[in-house]
């Protein structure tokens, strides 16, 4: 047995001739090497043949969607944000490369599906056919074959759209082509892709004075900026340019867009979206002869999104005038607010130039007395104990914009505000072809109260006692005059909104009205809906000085409305009887009758009754206090702060500057310190801590660093000799 194995091994090792691999002799060679009748054939010959044959790998199919998804779409978007914030002033001309990235199209598809279906669709759940249709849509956009506003011919459809458009009747086709229809699913995807590409470009360029339709900024940010920066201003100019949000000429929009973007394909796509007509006509519905007295409730389909809940729909009715209008231009969809901000950014830049031009500091002023206008003495949101007007005081103004509404605060004489208003009217006429008169840009004094975002800006005059040390060390106390900027929620505006929503009637003595929309809901569900509404109102009035008063008033209106509803529903005749049975916060069940059913608490304990939450904020002491958290002067959103910090840390110059600063101060960085510890332990098998370095002299520290960080063997040998000399009791230098 062993002899046979040795002979077989010898034959295998002897048969090591190279196999000539040619196309002509490959078949003959394969037959001769693998022929079972050939005595020299063995298993290794066939293996060597396969290992030496040239491999023909299958080329990747460029039309395969799976081969185009090399990265995650979120990482591609993050890279775009980083690039644009690193170089915010560069002119972008290569956006077509991002338009080709299939990862962005997949991410846009996921976003649109989440909005359309109400549920997020992960990438693994996207079907192969949907990816192929999405690739066809991308290729159509790149080849200039895409048409906005398609009604019947779609390249990709929503997953919930099961309509077969080829088998529709002529009547349905006519209705689709002539009536108002929601935006096509493929249009939303293209809009989302363009939005993901353009948003980081312009967010890095937009002014810090605009706050609407931008991530990380909202109406609360405007109120905090006003409280922080607008104290001490005497005259206010309030402007309404919301007609710009209704639409602008295509040439003005494209020229504003081409200041920073020079990509022809992207510009042509947006221009086509603006110029393609939108069908808004409606067919006349036939009048019904008979109407049912009681109509059945419509049952939603399985994939149909639910409508907004009652509390959210009610809160939307409280939207302030400045936030009511959202631009919608042509087929741009979600691109419309971004395009509006791009056009109005020219106004922001013009106003920033006027702010610098108008600023004239005065050394006799308490605040704003530096030449640059950046360094401030004291807090501008606290009273300034000097008169707020006069020729010897600082002239300054500030500006904010929320959508199409602007607010300008002027510290100085009224003539300066009038001059600025005249220049603003001329600029708007030349730039936006918008005719504005003095009535639409009123100049109001702070004592009259300035309404902005349903909050009133007013001035409270205080007379504090000022104590200061005069010449000679004498302490003088005298009465001063100061002003405090107050931001309060408008009770009049709140009553107006409640009246619009049919929650009350009357002007002088508001009377709550029952909300019959919740008539068929249970008491538990109704209370829960109103509690959510009240919680949202508490958050909305978070920065109002009269937060407790305004929220308590809202709670009174809601509680009275529900009491009237329950009185009509359970036939209790009056609100007093409802409060007597259901308590002040309506937390007790109203349909329980004594002797006819077990106790409510027993049913609730057994799980046979639904728990009822009482109304919140029925007393003023339960309403939280106003949020007076300090607001930084140069505030930026958290996402921009993280981007700038990442860019700074990614820059090699930052690290080099830190190292130079550490060397100048004679410090050791944490990385070098750990390296010193590890090197010392490897050399001497002794762990050296920072305390031993501090106790030793400055020269010894340098020697230890050279010893621990250098890899020169001579330095190590010299140090070893010195340590041995000290252990023997004599100095090496004496030898």
């Amino acid at each position: 047995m062993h002899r046979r194995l040795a002979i077989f091994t010898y034959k295998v090792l002897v048969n090591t001739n190279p196999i000539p691999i040619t196309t002509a002799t490959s078949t003959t060679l394969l037959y001769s090497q693998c022929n079972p009748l050939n005595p020299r054939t063995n298993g290794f010959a066939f293996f060597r043949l396969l290992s030496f044959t040239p491999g023909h790998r299958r080329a990747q199919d460029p039309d395969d969607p799976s081969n185009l998804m090399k990265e995650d779409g979120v990482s591609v978007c993050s890279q775009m944000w980083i690039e644009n914030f690193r170089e915010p002033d560069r002119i972008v001309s290569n956006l077509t490369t991002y338009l080709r990235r299939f990862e962005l199209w997949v991410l846009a598809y996921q976003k649109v599906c989440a909005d359309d279906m109400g549920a997020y669709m992960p990438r693994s759940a996207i079907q192969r056919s949907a990816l192929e249709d999405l690739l066809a849509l991308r290729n159509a956009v790149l080849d200039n074959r895409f048409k906005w506003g398609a009604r019947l011919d779609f390249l990709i459809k929503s997953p919930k759209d099961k309509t077969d458009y080829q088998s529709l009747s002529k009547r349905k086709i006519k209705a689709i082509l002539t009536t108002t229809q929601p935006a096509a699913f493929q249009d939303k995807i293209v809009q989302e892709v363009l939005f993901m590409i353009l948003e980081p470009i312009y967010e890095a360029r937009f002014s810090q004075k605009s706050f609407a339709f931008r991530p990380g900024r909202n109406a609360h940010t405007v109120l905090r900026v006003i409280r922080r920066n607008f104290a001490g201003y005497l005259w206010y100019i309030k402007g309404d340019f919301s007609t710009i949000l209704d639409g602008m000429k295509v040439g003005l929009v494209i020229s504003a867009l081409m200041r920073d973007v020079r990509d022809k394909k992207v510009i042509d796509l947006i221009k086509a979206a603006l110029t393609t007509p939108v069908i808004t006509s409606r067919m006349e519905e036939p009048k019904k002869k008979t109407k049912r007295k009681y109509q059945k409730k419509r049952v939603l389909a399985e994939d149909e999104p639910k409508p907004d809940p009652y509390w959210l729909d009610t809160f939307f009715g409280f939207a302030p005038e400045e936030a009511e209008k959202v631009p919608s231009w042509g087929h741009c969809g979600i691109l419309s607010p971004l395009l509006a901000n791009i056009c109005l950014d020219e106004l922001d830049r013009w106003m920033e130039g006027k702010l610098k031009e108008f600023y004239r500091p005065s050394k006799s002023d308490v605040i704003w007395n530096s030449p640059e206008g950046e360094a401030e003495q004291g807090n501008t949101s606290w009273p300034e104990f000097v008169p707020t007007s006069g020729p010897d005081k600082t002239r300054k103004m500030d500006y904010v914009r929320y959508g199409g509404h602007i607010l300008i605060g002027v510290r100085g004489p009224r003539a300066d505000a009038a001059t600025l208003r005249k220049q603003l009217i001329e600029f708007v006429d030349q730039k936006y072809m918008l005719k504005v008169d003095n009535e639409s840009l009123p100049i109001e004094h702070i004592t009259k109260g300035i309404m902005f975002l349903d909050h009133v800006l007013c001035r409270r005059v205080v007379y504090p006692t000022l104590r200061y040390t005069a010449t000679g060390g004498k302490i003088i106390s005298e009465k001063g005059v100061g002003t405090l900027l107050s931001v309060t929620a408008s009770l009049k505006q709140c009553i107006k909104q409640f009246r619009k929503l049919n929650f009350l009637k009357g002007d002088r003595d508001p009377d709550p009205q029952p909300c019959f929309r919740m008539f068929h809901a249970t008491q538990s569900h109704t209370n829960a809906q109103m509690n959510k509404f009240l919680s949202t109102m508490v958050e909305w009035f978070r920065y109002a000085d009269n937060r407790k008063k305004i929220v308590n008033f809202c709670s009174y209106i809601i509680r009275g409305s529900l009491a009237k509803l329950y009185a009509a529903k359970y036939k209790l005749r009056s609100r007093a009887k409802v409060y007597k049975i259901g308590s002040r916060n309506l937390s007790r069940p109203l349909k329980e009758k004594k002797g006819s059913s077990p106790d409510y608490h027993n049913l609730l304990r057994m799980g046979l009754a639904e728990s009822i939450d009482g109304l919140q904020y029925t007393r003023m002491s339960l309403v939280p206090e106003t949020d007076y958290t300090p607001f930084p002067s140069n505030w930026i959103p958290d996402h921009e702060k993280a981007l700038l910090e990442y860019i700074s840390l990614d820059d090699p110059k930052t690290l080099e500057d830190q190292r130079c600063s550490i060397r100048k101060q004679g410090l050791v960085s944490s990385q070098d310190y750990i390296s010193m510890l590890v090197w010392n332990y490897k050399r001497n098998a002794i762990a050296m801590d920072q305390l031993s370095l501090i106790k030793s002299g400055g020269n010894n520290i340098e020697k230890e660093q050279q010893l621990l960080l250098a890899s020169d063997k001579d330095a190590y040998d010299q140090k070893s000799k010195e340590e041995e000399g000290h252990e023997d009791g004599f100095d090496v230098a004496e030898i």
Side-chain angles (χ1 to χ4, degrees):
M1 178 68 184
H2 294 286
R3 186 175 180 181
R4 291 178 181 177
L5 181 61
I7 295 173
F8 176 76
T9 306
Y10 173 77
K11 290 183 178 181
V12 169
L13 295 176
V14 168
N15 190 14
T16 57
N17 296 329
I19 303 175
I21 304 300
T22 59
T23 307
T25 60
S26 59
T27 307
T28 307
L29 179 62
L30 178 62
Y31 177 77
S32 62
Q33 294 290 335
C34 302
N35 188 7
L37 300 178
N38 190 352
R40 299 188 62 184
T41 302
N42 53 73
F44 290 96
F46 185 68
F47 174 76
R48 288 187 303 170
L49 174 65
L50 295 180
S51 62
F52 282 95
T53 52
H56 298 282
R57 294 186 179 180
R58 184 178 178 181
Q60 293 184 354
D61 187 5
D63 297 331
D64 189 1
S66 58
N67 296 333
L68 299 175
M69 293 187 292
K70 300 177 182 179
E71 296 183 50
D72 186 33
V74 177
S75 63
V76 178
C77 287
S78 303
Q79 189 62 32
M80 287 193 296
W81 280 86
I82 293 171
E83 290 178 359
N84 287 283
F85 271 80
R86 183 179 283 121
E87 300 178 6
D89 298 328
R90 66 187 179 94
I91 296 178
V92 185
S93 59
N94 57 346
L95 293 182
T96 308
T97 56
Y98 289 110
L99 205 59
R100 295 180 184 276
R101 299 296 296 268
F102 191 64
E103 299 92 341
L104 294 180
W105 291 85
V106 175
L107 182 60
Y109 178 83
Q110 292 175 297
K111 285 186 175 183
V112 176
C113 282
D115 295 337
D116 202 33
M117 303 179 63
Y120 176 75
M121 180 182 292
R123 181 190 286 188
S124 57
I126 304 176
Q127 297 181 358
R128 171 83 179 189
S129 59
L131 290 176
E132 293 176 352
D133 295 341
L134 191 62
L135 182 60
L137 176 63
R138 188 207 70 166
N139 294 337
V141 170
L142 293 175
D143 299 339
N144 299 325
R145 292 183 288 105
F146 174 73
K147 302 296 181 182
W148 295 96
R151 295 296 183 94
L152 298 174
D153 188 12
F154 300 116
L155 296 172
I156 186 171
K157 296 194 300 183
S158 172
K160 72 174 187 180
D161 188 5
K162 308 297 182 183
T163 306
D164 185 8
Y165 290 92
Q166 296 180 354
S167 60
L168 291 178
S169 61
K170 293 183 178 180
R171 182 179 60 84
K172 291 184 178 181
I173 292 176
K174 182 180 179 181
I176 292 175
L177 294 177
T178 57
T179 59
T180 303
Q181 298 290 332
F185 186 76
Q186 62 181 16
D187 290 2
K188 294 180 181 179
I189 294 177
V190 179
Q191 293 166 5
E192 192 69 46
V193 172
L194 292 174
F195 183 78
M196 287 189 294
I197 293 175
L198 293 176
E199 186 185 27
I201 296 174
Y202 287 98
E203 278 297 324
R205 294 166 167 78
F206 280 157
S207 170
Q208 298 296 329
K209 303 294 184 180
S210 65
F211 297 91
F213 316 127
R214 297 185 61 186
R217 296 171 173 85
N218 50 30
H220 278 171
T221 312
V222 180
L223 295 176
R224 298 185 73 185
V225 168
I226 290 174
R227 184 189 294 278
R228 173 66 177 80
N229 298 336
F230 277 67
Y233 292 123
L234 197 64
W235 301 99
Y236 285 83
I237 303 175
K238 183 181 175 183
D240 181 7
F241 301 144
S242 58
T243 53
I244 296 178
L245 303 183
D246 295 334
M248 290 182 60
K249 291 187 176 181
V250 179
L252 297 177
V253 179
I254 297 301
S255 62
L257 193 66
M258 291 186 64
R259 284 181 304 162
D260 304 304
V261 174
R262 302 293 174 83
D263 190 280
K264 186 177 183 302
K265 193 172 293 296
V266 173
I267 297 296
D268 291 344
L269 268 175
I270 297 176
K271 186 176 181 180
L274 291 170
T275 55
T276 302
V278 180
I279 301 175
T280 56
S281 59
R282 297 182 180 180
M283 292 184 64
E284 296 182 358
E285 297 180 358
K287 296 182 180 180
K288 297 181 180 179
K289 296 182 180 180
T290 59
K291 185 178 180 181
R292 293 182 181 178
K293 188 175 182 181
Y294 301 102
Q295 294 182 354
K296 293 183 179 180
K297 294 183 179 180
R298 189 175 68 87
V299 180
L300 298 176
E302 295 181 357
D303 54 353
E304 185 177 359
K306 296 181 180 179
D308 293 332
Y310 178 70
W311 69 270
L312 187 59
D313 192 19
T314 305
F315 177 71
F316 285 159
F318 273 81
E321 178 187 0
E322 291 81 3
E324 281 183 348
K325 189 174 293 186
V326 178
S328 179
W329 297 353
H331 294 278
C332 292
I334 60 172
L335 279 173
S336 301
L338 178 62
L339 294 176
N341 271 336
I342 292 173
C343 296
L344 290 172
D345 185 63
E346 299 183 9
L347 173 63
D348 300 336
R349 299 299 180 185
W350 182 82
M351 280 300 307
E352 286 180 350
K354 289 297 178 181
L355 297 184
K356 296 179 181 178
E357 179 184 338
F358 187 81
Y359 179 68
R360 295 181 185 176
S362 175
K363 293 185 178 180
S364 61
D365 212 337
V366 176
I367 57 176
W368 303 319
N369 52 14
S370 62
E372 294 81 9
E374 299 295 335
E376 298 175 355
Q377 296 181 3
N379 188 0
T380 59
S381 62
W382 193 248
E384 77 175 301
F385 306 118
V386 292
T388 56
S389 62
D392 57 338
K393 300 305 175 185
T394 298
R395 293 178 54 190
K396 191 177 187 298
M397 68 178 179
D398 211 334
Y399 159 84
V400 292
R401 180 178 64 83
Y402 190 84
H405 295 259
I406 65 171
L407 182 67
I408 305 173
V410 180
R411 176 183 169 91
R414 189 184 185 280
D416 293 344
T419 303
L420 177 64
R421 178 175 63 178
K422 182 179 179 181
Q423 296 174 355
L424 181 60
I425 291 175
E426 294 176 357
F427 175 81
V428 172
D429 187 14
Q430 294 176 1
K431 201 67 181 178
Y432 303 109
M433 299 181 182
L434 181 65
K435 300 296 181 181
V436 182
D437 54 2
N438 292 340
E439 294 182 359
S440 57
L441 288 173
I443 300 176
E444 299 179 354
H445 197 270
I446 185 63
T447 54
K448 294 184 178 180
I450 313 301
M451 177 79 71
F452 197 73
L453 290 171
D454 284 356
H455 287 67
V456 180
L457 313 180
C458 55
R459 183 181 66 171
R460 288 190 295 172
V461 181
V462 293
Y463 302 93
T465 301
L466 300 178
R467 293 181 177 87
Y468 58 93
T469 304
T471 55
K474 184 179 179 180
I475 298 177
I476 299 177
S477 299
E478 61 180 17
K479 284 288 185 178
V481 180
T483 58
L484 175 65
L485 181 66
S486 178
V487 181
T488 59
S490 174
L491 185 60
K492 183 179 179 181
Q493 194 71 12
C494 186
I495 293 174
K496 179 181 177 182
Q497 301 288 5
F498 269 122
R499 190 185 301 111
K500 185 175 65 174
L501 295 171
N502 298 324
F503 271 94
L504 56 82
K505 66 177 182 179
D507 296 332
R508 296 183 179 180
D509 190 11
D511 185 24
Q513 297 297 305
C515 53
F516 285 111
R517 283 186 58 183
M518 303 296 293
F519 187 83
H520 296 285
T522 61
Q523 182 181 354
S524 173
H525 179 69
T526 304
N527 285 9
Q529 290 287 309
M530 291 307 176
N531 277 335
K532 290 180 180 179
F533 170 72
L534 287 174
S535 301
T536 313
M537 296 299 291
V538 168
E539 183 62 25
W540 166 236
F541 295 117
R542 180 176 182 176
Y543 300 101
D545 291 336
N546 59 341
R547 184 186 189 186
K548 283 181 170 290
K549 181 179 179 180
I550 195 73
V551 172
N552 187 254
F553 174 77
C554 294
S555 178
Y556 162 74
I557 297 297
I558 295 298
R559 189 166 60 96
S561 177
L562 290 187
K564 285 192 173 183
L565 171 68
Y566 293 151
K569 183 176 181 180
Y570 300 117
K571 300 179 181 179
L572 298 176
R573 296 185 179 180
S574 66
R575 284 188 290 175
K577 199 168 184 180
V578 172
Y579 292 141
K580 184 178 180 180
I581 299 175
S583 74
R584 179 184 178 88
N585 60 354
L586 304 176
S587 60
R588 296 177 184 174
L590 294 172
K591 23 180 217 184
E592 177 186 1
K593 295 181 180 180
K594 295 182 179 179
S596 62
S597 62
D599 188 30
Y600 169 72
H601 297 287
N602 295 333
L603 293 175
L604 185 63
R605 191 180 301 110
M606 292 184 295
L608 300 177
E610 192 176 9
S611 61
I612 300 175
D613 297 330
L615 287 181
Q616 299 176 343
Y617 314 116
T618 54
R619 299 186 184 275
M620 191 175 293
S621 59
L622 301 176
V623 182
E625 297 285 346
T626 306
D627 189 356
Y628 289 108
T629 306
F631 195 69
S633 57
N634 297 324
W635 177 88
I636 59 174
D638 293 337
H639 70 280
E640 292 187 10
K641 191 182 301 182
L643 278 171
L644 296 176
E645 185 176 356
Y646 175 83
I647 293 170
S648 176
L649 294 176
D650 191 46
D651 189 3
K653 185 179 179 181
T654 304
L655 184 59
E656 188 63 29
D657 293 343
Q658 290 179 353
R659 289 178 178 175
C660 293
S661 177
I662 289 173
R663 292 194 196 102
K664 290 180 180 179
Q665 297 179 10
L667 303 176
V668 180
S669 64
S670 56
Q671 293 86 351
D672 293 342
Y673 179 68
I674 294 174
S675 302
M676 290 166 60
L677 289 178
V678 174
W679 186 258
N680 181 69
Y681 185 78
K682 285 184 177 181
R683 290 291 189 180
N684 301 334
I686 299 174
M688 180 180 293
D689 58 354
Q690 189 176 6
L691 184 61
S692 62
L693 295 175
I694 295 174
K695 288 182 178 180
S696 59
N699 296 330
N700 292 336
I701 293 178
E702 295 179 359
K703 291 181 180 179
E704 294 292 346
Q705 292 180 358
Q706 292 178 1
L707 170 66
L708 298 176
L709 297 178
S711 60
D712 192 359
K713 186 177 180 181
D714 297 335
Y716 172 72
D717 295 339
Q718 181 68 20
K719 182 66 178 180
S720 300
K721 290 180 181 180
E722 291 179 4
E723 291 178 354
E724 291 175 2
H726 285 296
E727 290 178 358
D728 295 338
F730 55 87
D731 192 2
V732 179
E734 295 178 359
I735 300 177

